[in-house]
Amino acid sequence: MGTPAQLSEIIDAIEMHFEGSRSFVDRQTGKVLTFMQEELCAAEDDSPVDDMPEWQREVVTEAREALGDETGRFIELPDSFDADERGMMADFIEMQEEKAAASLAGTLGGAGMFRRFKDRLYDLGLADEWFDYRSKRYRKFAIDWCRTSCVPFVE
């Protein structure tokens, strides 16, 4: 078995997911790898790496290894959508007193929902409580994923 991954790096990769990016854990080294869309495209179309800067050569080579892996060495991480932050928000709202819950519930849905929710949290003085709750939920999600996916990790 390889080197365990750092749980904090797994959580960061899940939370900080960008559209078009993909993250993997290298089960051999424990390294968490995140590739942006440009790097993934270069890896998938077998673009020659010789003309790329050194740092990009390394990243595209790693992306090729991760994308082409058939041994189970690399396992793709879930993304922030899989973690269901909207569901976290709804659960947090249910824990609040009636007036705050009603105010927060009115922010859910539509474009800008996350910004409206966060703004209302600050208005209600609940931001620290939310971020602590959110952090714990992401941590639990990541731990559950690691255990289900047989990815060893350290805190």
Side-chain angles (χ1 to χ4, degrees):
M1 186 136 253
T3 304
Q6 290 289 322
L7 182 62
S8 61
E9 291 179 15
I10 291 171
I11 294 168
D12 288 346
I14 294 169
E15 276 187 289
M16 300 304 199
H17 172 79
F18 295 102
E19 187 68 33
S21 70
R22 293 171 69 182
S23 295
F24 297 82
V25 173
D26 181 338
R27 292 187 211 225
Q28 184 177 328
T29 66
K31 189 174 176 183
V32 175
L33 307 164
T34 298
F35 306 110
M36 298 299 139
Q37 189 168 12
E38 178 183 352
E39 298 152 355
L40 292 166
C41 288
E44 289 171 341
D45 71 7
D46 290 329
S47 296
V49 295
D50 298 339
D51 297 336
M52 296 177 184
E54 181 64 31
W55 68 267
Q56 195 172 27
R57 276 185 236 157
E58 292 175 26
V59 173
V60 170
T61 300
E62 287 178 327
R64 284 184 179 150
E65 289 178 28
L67 293 172
D69 176 51
E70 294 180 5
T71 65
R73 174 180 170 183
F74 297 92
I75 184 164
E76 189 165 3
L77 286 167
D79 59 31
S80 55
F81 300 107
D82 296 321
D84 188 20
E85 192 163 333
R86 189 193 188 292
M88 290 181 202
M89 293 160 66
D91 292 345
F92 181 79
I93 288 170
E94 288 181 19
M95 298 168 37
Q96 304 309 309
E97 55 91 8
E98 189 175 333
K99 187 174 179 180
S103 181
L104 287 167
T107 67
L108 298 185
M113 169 182 73
F114 293 99
R115 167 58 58 197
R116 284 192 308 275
F117 181 78
K118 193 162 87 170
D119 289 346
R120 189 65 44 87
L121 287 167
Y122 281 105
D123 292 344
L124 296 168
L126 295 172
D128 289 342
E129 187 177 333
W130 160 248
F131 289 117
D132 183 54
Y133 176 80
R134 179 181 178 271
S135 178
K136 288 176 183 172
R137 287 283 299 265
Y138 266 105
R139 183 177 184 283
K140 182 185 180 326
F141 178 81
I143 289 171
D144 290 347
W145 178 84
C146 285
R147 289 182 176 149
T148 300
S149 302
C150 300
V151 173
F153 66 91
V154 292
E155 305 259 354

